[in-house]
Amino acid sequence: MKLLTKIGQSRKLSLGLITLFALWAMADVVREYYSGEEFSHLGFEFVVAILALIWSIHLWQENFKKSKKLTAMQSHIETLTQEAQDWKDQNSKLIEGLSQSIHNQMLQWGLTPAEQEVALLLLKGLSFKEIAEIRSTSEKTTRQQALIIYQKSHLPGRAELSAFFLEELLSPSKA
């Protein structure tokens, strides 16, 4: 969000400078008109000033539209963030229980702490490259650890690892 704010401030500074240039050019045309400058020279400067002013007005309108859109997006993000936090708060005991169950299962499979970390990141849907970056290891090491996880768990791959933990959660409730 801070980056978006800085971009907005930079855009406004640029727009301000363009507007300042347009106004300066108009003022220069008026000053030169009263000092008796040639009309051909005044005409050129007048056209440049008008174009700069039109461009400035157009950019201010675009900036206003983008600012409104950005404000709406920020509001939507805040709403979604609050909804996610509310969901976490409402389901914290379930999440904690699931987390503990996953941890217990990983211990039962005999996964090392490093393998458990990789397995959790795989469950979160991160790529091997992302996991390697997070863990400051190579992508090859991450792939090897994933293979060991699949061997120890007797599961063929990432999808089955996820399904192992999610299958019961996502099944239709039994009446």
Side-chain angles (χ1 to χ4, degrees):
M1 293 296 191
K2 290 181 182 180
L3 176 64
L4 293 176
T5 303
K6 285 186 178 187
I7 291 171
Q9 290 171 344
S10 171
R11 184 183 298 130
K12 286 180 183 174
L13 177 63
S14 298
L15 289 172
L17 290 174
I18 292 168
T19 304
L20 189 62
F21 171 77
L23 293 174
W24 172 80
M26 290 299 276
D28 188 50
V29 167
V30 170
R31 183 187 58 79
E32 288 179 357
Y33 172 77
Y34 284 113
S35 68
E37 198 64 44
E38 289 182 26
F39 280 113
S40 61
H41 176 74
L42 286 175
F44 174 75
E45 282 193 13
F46 181 74
V47 168
V48 169
I50 291 296
L51 289 175
L53 194 57
I54 291 169
W55 185 35
S56 174
I57 290 168
H58 170 73
L59 291 176
W60 277 108
Q61 288 173 333
E62 288 297 312
N63 185 60
F64 179 73
K65 288 176 190 174
K66 287 180 182 182
S67 293
K68 281 180 67 174
K69 197 173 193 177
L70 179 61
T71 300
M73 289 172 61
Q74 287 173 330
S75 175
H76 186 64
I77 289 170
E78 288 171 9
T79 300
L80 292 176
T81 302
Q82 186 59 49
E83 286 176 7
Q85 187 59 49
D86 291 347
W87 185 89
K88 285 180 185 179
D89 292 345
Q90 291 170 356
N91 296 291
S92 62
K93 290 191 188 297
L94 295 172
I95 293 168
E96 189 177 315
L98 179 59
S99 179
Q100 187 59 48
S101 293
I102 291 171
H103 177 72
N104 291 343
Q105 183 60 53
M106 289 183 184
L107 289 176
Q108 191 175 4
W109 285 334
L111 301 184
T112 66
E115 292 164 351
Q116 289 178 39
E117 184 180 8
V118 170
L120 287 173
L121 294 171
L122 288 169
L123 288 172
K124 290 182 178 189
L126 276 68
S127 69
F128 291 129
K129 183 178 180 181
E130 291 168 326
I131 294 170
E133 288 174 5
I134 289 170
R135 300 189 68 246
S136 300
T137 62
S138 72
E139 193 172 337
K140 184 178 178 181
T141 299
T142 302
R143 286 181 187 278
Q144 289 171 338
Q145 288 173 314
L147 286 174
I148 292 168
I149 291 164
Y150 304 143
Q151 288 170 352
K152 288 182 177 181
S153 66
H154 303 288
L155 297 168
R158 180 191 300 243
E160 293 79 10
L161 178 68
S162 296
F164 182 89
F165 295 109
L166 296 176
E167 191 170 345
E168 288 303 312
L169 290 173
L170 301 177
S171 351
S173 60
K174 298 171 186 167

